[in-house]
Amino acid sequence: MTILGAALLAAGPAAAADSALANRGLALAKSYCSGCHRVSGDQAIPPPVTVETETGNTDVKAPSFWLAAHQEGRDDAYFRKYMHAPRDPMPEEPLEPGELDAIVAYLMSLRAQPAGTGW
């Protein structure tokens, strides 16, 4: 049995369900978000997003999911609100409620990783 498996068994069914939801969120984030955001540590850094401004075009680097999850004030409610009505240059992605739940669960799972392990 793996250490993760043993930890999930010890933590009970709720932890296993949370882990399954976060894993689904990772898969969805890879599908929907990885063109702009680095959604996992093993993903290559995506190219910057070119944004049209009043003074011309500028390149913007979208934050990694790990960095976004570790920024001050970024909690479950923040991510739900932001993904429902994102600001430019992030496009609105029409997510089903279950998809939003999963992606937010993945983001929140990243907060459990120590600060020195960031990507």
Side-chain angles (χ1 to χ4, degrees):
M1 177 180 298
T2 67
I3 293 172
L4 176 61
L8 288 174
L9 284 176
D18 288 347
S19 178
L21 187 62
N23 285 337
R24 181 170 179 249
L26 170 59
L28 289 166
K30 284 181 177 180
S31 175
Y32 291 135
C33 312
S34 64
C36 299
H37 296 273
R38 188 175 181 197
V39 300
S40 65
D42 61 349
Q43 177 189 341
I45 299 171
V49 177
T50 301
V51 178
E52 192 175 317
T53 68
E54 293 176 4
T55 59
N57 290 342
T58 187
D59 287 341
V60 176
K61 183 178 180 246
S64 72
F65 269 41
W66 189 93
L67 181 61
H70 283 83
Q71 289 181 346
E72 185 77 27
R74 303 287 171 94
D75 59 8
D76 185 282
Y78 171 87
F79 285 116
R80 287 177 184 284
K81 182 178 178 182
Y82 188 83
M83 284 190 270
H84 182 70
R87 294 184 301 271
D88 194 37
M90 186 167 148
E92 188 171 341
E93 183 68 51
L95 297 171
E96 298 292 326
E99 292 175 325
L100 179 60
D101 291 343
I103 292 172
V104 170
Y106 173 60
L107 281 159
M108 294 297 92
S109 75
L110 295 174
R111 293 179 68 111
Q113 296 177 1
T117 63
W119 34 267

